[in-house]
Amino acid sequence: MKIIMLGAPGAGKGTQADKIAQKYSIPHISTGDIFRKNIKEGTALGKEAKQYMDEGKLVPDELTVRILLDRVASDDCSRGYILDGFPRTIPQAEALEKKLGELDDDIDFAINVDVPDENIVNRMSGRRACPKCGATYHIKHIPPKKEGICDECGAELIIRDDDKPETVKNRLKVYHEQTQPLIEYYDKKKILRTVDGTKDAEDVFRAIADILE
Ligand code: AP5
C-alpha cells in the first residue's frame, strides 16, 4: 500500500502517519524528518535545507525529489510506504507519478487531514518533538507520560525551530499557495480522501483506518 498524507503544517500528518505505519508495517517517510536529521548531523544537505526551513519556505523541488526517490527505492519500501510532507508541489507530485509509472505502479490513497488555519497556530505552539526518535507530542492534547521527556526513547523534548508563530504564518501561506493545489490534483485522480483533522487523534485515525480497509 502506498499512501500520501496531505494537509496544512501542523494538521497532524506525522501523528497519523506514525499510527498507519505501525498498523500496516510499512515505513513512514517524512521529508521534513530527513531534512532535520541532516541538519542535526551537519551535512551539506542539512545546511542547504536549513536556510529554507528557518524561513518557512519550501526546499527546492529538485533537491527534495532526488532525496525522496532515492528513499522509496530502498528495500524496506517494497511492500509500500506512507509519505508525510511529500509531495508538496505539483512538480513533486508529477516526478513521483513519473517514477512510479516507470515501475507500472501507483499511489493508492492521498489522505487529506483537514484542519482550519485558526487551529494550526495553537497546535504548533504546543508541539514538542523528540530530536532523537522523531516522536511528536502536544503539551495539552497529546502529552508525554513524563513532562518534557519522550515516551519512546527517554530523550528530552524540544520545540522545533520552525514552530515560532512568525514562521508558522509563513508556512501556512506557502501551504495555501503551493501545496493546497494538490488536493484538486489527487481529487481528479480519484484517490483523494478527506478526514476531519480537528477531532481527537484516535478518532482521526479510526476514520483513516476505515478508508484504508
Ligand atoms: P514538515 O516536517 O513536513 O512539516 P509540516 O508539513 O509543516 O508538518 P508538521 O510536521 O509541522 O505537522 P504535521 O502535519 O506532521 O503535524 P503533527 O502530527 O506534528 O516540513 C518542515 C519543513 O521542511 C517545511 O516547512 C519545508 O521547509 C521542508 N520540507 C519538508 N518536506 C518538503 C517538501 N516535500 N518539499 C519542500 N520542502 C519540504 O501535529 C502537530 C501538533 O498537533 C503536534 O503537537 C501533535 O501532537 C498535535 N496533534 C496532532 N493531531 C492532533 C489532534 N487530532 N488533536 C490535537 N492535537 C493534535
Side-chain angles (χ1 to χ4, degrees), residues 28 109 121 127-128 143 145 188:
H28 166 191
F109 291 107
V121 178
R127 171 160 53 189
R128 297 295 179 269
K145 292 189 185 95
K188 281 193 180 144

Side-chain angles (χ1 to χ4, degrees), residues 10 13-15 31 36 57 85 88 92 127 137 171 199:
K13 303 182 293 297
T15 302
T31 35
R36 280 185 289 277
K57 293 181 183 161
R88 250 180 161 93
Q92 290 184 12
R127 171 160 53 189
Y137 304 87
R171 286 165 66 195
K199 299 210 166 118

Side-chain angles (χ1 to χ4, degrees), residues 47-94:
K47 282 183 188 133
E48 183 167 359
K50 189 172 177 0
Q51 299 167 32
Y52 299 96
M53 290 170 76
D54 283 353
E55 289 184 35
K57 293 181 183 161
L58 295 184
V59 177
D61 283 343
E62 196 196 297
L63 183 63
T64 310
V65 165
R66 188 158 33 91
I67 285 156
L68 190 279
L69 295 185
D70 271 2
R71 177 63 187 90
V72 297
S74 311
D75 287 349
D76 67 333
C77 292
S78 59
R79 288 185 52 250
Y81 44 80
I82 173 152
L83 300 183
D84 159 18
F86 185 99
R88 250 180 161 93
T89 63
I90 300 280
Q92 290 184 12
E94 289 171 344

